Amino acid sequence: MRKKRNLSRGVALVGAGMSQFGMFRDRDSKDLFLEAFRAMIASVDKGLDPADIDAFYLGNYSNDFFVRQSHWGAILSDALGLVPRPATRTEGACASSALAFREGVFAIASGFYDAVLVGGVEDMSKGATEVVAEGLGMAAIPYERDVGFTFPGVFGTIATAYFDKFGASREHLMNVTIKSHDNAARNPKAQLSATLEDVMAAKKKRAESKGRTVPNWPDPKAFLRDPRANPVVAWPIHLFDCCPISDGACCLLLVGEELARNFTDDPLYVAGIGQASGRGLHASEDLTTFEATRYAAREAFDMAGIAADEVQFAEVHDCFSIAELLHIEDLGFFPAGHGYKAVEEGQTRLDGSKPINTSGGLKCKGHPVGATGAAQIFEVWTQLRGQAGERQVPGHPRLGAAQNLGGTGGTSTVTVLERR
Amino acid sequence: MGSRCLPCQAVFVPPRALCPRCDSSAMEWQRMDGRGKLVAFTCIAIGTPAMLKQGYGRENPYCTGVVELEENARVVARIQGVDTRNPATISVGMPLQVDFLREDSGSGSRTVLAFKPLPAG
């Protein structure tokens, strides 16, 4: 039986920094992680002496495969000057750094450490797209891969099940994509920091300069319906439903709650954490829900002592647009089958009742898989501290959540942060 | 072939040695009749390396899906005999029958679980 869980010592988040996300031919994991580490140190209001960091937990999915180098915990520890303090790498596919965050929380809650660096990194763009796809495919269920499933294929299958059960269509996926681009255009760290109107204008300009027929799209949906601009990847998933291939890193600093004020007068507190495991497509009784996300959300919200509707905004795992719809339902923000209507009504936009993926999400901020869980928490930190600039959620939010998925639903985590 | 848990009668494809529902290891083999219906599907234009080698791609997508067997177990499989360039013609719930494929795996041939639409009547 599930029981309400508590930390035996409170844990606070007192620093956070992320690198630029993008595809960088000339920057490797070390470069990106150092950028995030420096940004994290600069974010600690009262200053941080790196000598005070007791231990380091790093999320990294598969640099082993992408750049043929493993053991990044120790390598980055050396690069940061943290040697000889311990470095531990966690792997949970695209949820790798959310697992690192949990390990950091447990290490402090146990009283073993006082200050822990949590990070995530992935360097994906150096190989061909087929190589990246093969690397990501290693996190899928082998049985599914054998009949030809790809990652977009799994989410395409989930989409047809969702459409059939709830009467949604591709047009509803487009609403998710349009919102993601609108938010990312206000996020300077995002990989695709442009609205769809910007994307359309750039494509028109390029066609013009090359003397080709200039396409005439009256609005973003017309653009997204154009198979030349937005080709199918795995029906009904099209190119603009998919997150890009990304490089990036993120760093977070956790300390014991009673020490938080030594670092900042505005700390955030870990109110709830949840993690769960799920099963493959064929073994799932209902393809329109992620069992692991529902369980992790209940665990996290129970621990925080809150109901889902008290969470004021959230970052959710939108590796494909359909995943955002499932997650906002699984988190309990909207009833099953109502997520697509909520998005259509604008409820998940920045000025809506439940802003979702204010960063632009994985779709537009980018998805360096091992860095994503930490980067979602970075966005919650930025919003709760009122530092999100043009994409700031109004009304001084006090509670925000991050939900991170690994693989095709095999791992899911939910983290609730609170500003007291 | 699948497996059936003797105590709780749950059926698993592919077969499992341990029942995740009741933790029993008392399993027997269960032969499937090969009929079912389509639960969900996708038509993949950007395929796995193995599928690209077979000539599938943007102009020639392939269909994969989840099939619910009459024996009350679900499998993932290739779906043959459907118009993958017009996915709107493929419908969730359509009856299917098994249609195993033999494919060259590079180091010999392998069997791939596949289904095709059940002829009407």
Side-chain angles (χ1 to χ4, degrees):
Chain A
M1 261 321 274
R2 195 164 50 89
K3 63 168 190 171
K4 184 178 182 313
R5 302 181 197 280
N6 291 300
L7 300 175
S8 47
R9 177 196 192 191
V11 179
L13 178 65
V14 296
M18 70 177 263
S19 74
Q20 187 70 43
F21 279 11
M23 292 174 84
F24 307 109
R25 289 286 160 199
D26 56 347
R27 306 185 68 203
D28 66 7
S29 290
K30 231 186 267 183
D31 300 327
L32 294 164
F33 205 82
L34 277 176
E35 182 186 337
F37 185 64
R38 290 194 185 105
M40 182 278 288
I41 290 178
S43 77
V44 181
D45 297 327
K46 296 182 182 175
L48 168 71
D49 179 353
D52 289 335
I53 296 172
D54 294 319
F56 172 32
Y57 291 88
L58 175 74
N60 174 242
Y61 163 54
S62 196
N63 267 8
D64 324 46
F65 185 85
F66 296 133
V67 295
R68 301 281 161 192
Q69 174 67 58
S70 63
H71 208 188
W72 282 93
I75 292 168
L76 291 176
S77 188
D78 180 30
L80 303 176
L82 296 179
V83 168
R85 280 155 289 173
T88 305
R89 169 181 160 185
T90 57
E91 191 272 306
C94 309
S96 293
S97 57
L99 302 193
F101 183 84
R102 278 171 62 87
E103 293 309 312
V105 168
F106 294 149
I108 289 173
S110 73
F112 201 81
Y113 297 129
D114 287 329
V116 163
L117 173 67
V118 170
V121 70
E122 207 77 46
D123 185 3
M124 303 172 69
S125 76
K126 308 301 186 282
T129 301
E130 300 76 50
V131 175
V132 178
E134 188 184 356
L136 291 171
M138 291 161 80
I141 311 283
Y143 177 53
E144 288 163 8
R145 205 170 52 204
D146 287 348
V147 298
F149 269 105
T150 57
F151 254 92
V154 167
F155 285 87
T157 303
I158 288 169
T160 59
Y162 186 90
F163 291 176
D164 181 68
K165 185 169 177 185
F166 299 122
S169 72
R170 241 196 99 197
E171 298 283 314
H172 297 105
L173 298 185
M174 294 177 187
N175 295 330
V176 177
T177 298
I178 292 167
K179 172 192 62 77
S180 299
H181 274 276
D182 285 350
N183 290 352
R186 304 167 188 213
N187 182 357
K189 300 255 187 196
Q191 181 169 356
L192 306 176
S193 186
T195 64
L196 281 177
E197 285 85 350
D198 296 337
V199 174
M200 288 154 60
K203 284 188 184 278
K204 283 180 185 172
K205 207 171 154 187
R206 199 176 318 144
E208 212 169 73
S209 71
K210 294 201 169 176
R212 291 198 299 250
T213 315
V214 179
N216 180 27
W217 303 294
D219 57 47
K221 280 207 173 171
F223 170 79
L224 292 174
R225 283 186 210 112
D226 180 349
R228 286 161 58 103
N230 186 20
V232 65
V233 174
W235 177 269
I237 299 295
H238 290 62
L239 181 62
F240 277 78
D241 293 300
C242 307
C243 62
I245 292 169
S246 316
D247 307 324
C250 187
C251 277
L252 308 168
L253 184 68
L254 293 172
V255 301
E257 186 176 276
E258 77 285 1
L259 304 170
R261 301 272 162 187
N262 297 342
F263 296 89
T264 175
D265 289 329
D266 193 11
L268 302 182
Y269 297 92
V270 178
I273 49 173
Q275 181 186 333
S277 306
R279 54 194 103 205
L281 275 185
H282 67 284
S284 169
E285 285 171 17
D286 185 350
L287 293 170
T288 64
T289 174
F290 290 111
E291 179 183 11
T293 300
R294 278 187 289 133
Y295 189 96
R298 280 201 305 270
E299 194 172 78
F301 297 161
D302 283 357
M303 178 175 152
I306 58 169
D309 59 14
E310 291 177 68
V311 175
Q312 290 158 296
F313 67 96
E315 290 289 292
V316 308
H317 197 93
D318 61 323
C319 46
F320 301 93
S321 53
I322 182 66
E324 180 164 320
L325 297 182
L326 265 64
H327 283 135
I328 59 178
E329 296 175 9
D330 288 333
L331 284 158
F333 297 157
F334 305 102
H338 288 255
Y340 75 93
K341 295 174 191 163
V343 173
E344 188 170 37
E345 291 161 3
Q347 293 190 48
T348 60
R349 296 186 66 88
L350 273 180
D351 57 358
S353 58
K354 189 80 75 183
I356 299 294
N357 285 336
T358 57
S359 67
L362 281 52
K363 160 72 182 87
C364 291
K365 181 182 60 189
H367 183 27
V369 292
T372 282
Q376 291 179 317
I377 291 169
F378 172 83
E379 178 68 10
V380 177
W381 152 276
T382 306
Q383 290 286 357
L384 287 177
R385 300 220 328 161
Q387 296 166 337
E390 288 181 40
R391 66 180 195 283
Q392 180 64 47
V393 172
H396 307 286
R398 195 181 62 80
L399 275 173
Q403 179 275 325
N404 192 194
L405 192 78
T408 53
T411 299
S412 192
T413 70
V414 175
T415 306
V416 182
L417 294 179
E418 179 182 18
R419 186 188 201 189
R420 286 181 194 154
Chain B
M1 293 293 281
S3 65
R4 177 188 295 277
C5 172
L6 290 172
C8 83
Q9 294 293 303
V11 176
F12 303 102
V13 190
R16 288 176 182 257
L18 178 75
C19 177
R21 296 193 194 176
C22 73
D23 291 331
S24 167
S25 289
M27 290 276 180
E28 65 175 0
W29 289 105
Q30 162 86 39
R31 182 181 292 277
M32 303 293 158
D33 200 38
R35 290 191 181 202
K37 60 175 186 180
L38 188 62
V39 172
F41 70 95
T42 181
C43 294
I44 301 179
I46 316 286
T48 59
M51 293 302 287
L52 295 177
K53 253 182 236 165
Q54 290 184 41
Y56 290 102
R58 283 177 197 276
E59 300 307 317
N60 182 25
Y62 60 95
C63 182
T64 60
V66 177
V67 179
E68 185 158 294
L69 302 173
E70 285 176 349
E71 290 83 359
N72 198 26
R74 287 182 171 192
V75 294
V76 287
R78 197 85 53 76
I79 311 298
Q80 301 284 104
V82 290
D83 186 356
T84 55
R85 297 190 62 173
N86 294 295
T89 62
I90 307 171
S91 53
V92 168
M94 65 194 286
L96 300 168
Q97 69 181 46
V98 77
D99 181 28
F100 288 105
L101 285 171
R102 297 293 293 177
E103 280 183 356
D104 184 3
S105 69
S107 55
S109 72
R110 66 183 190 115
T111 304
V112 177
L113 181 58
F115 286 79
K116 63 182 179 187
L118 189 69

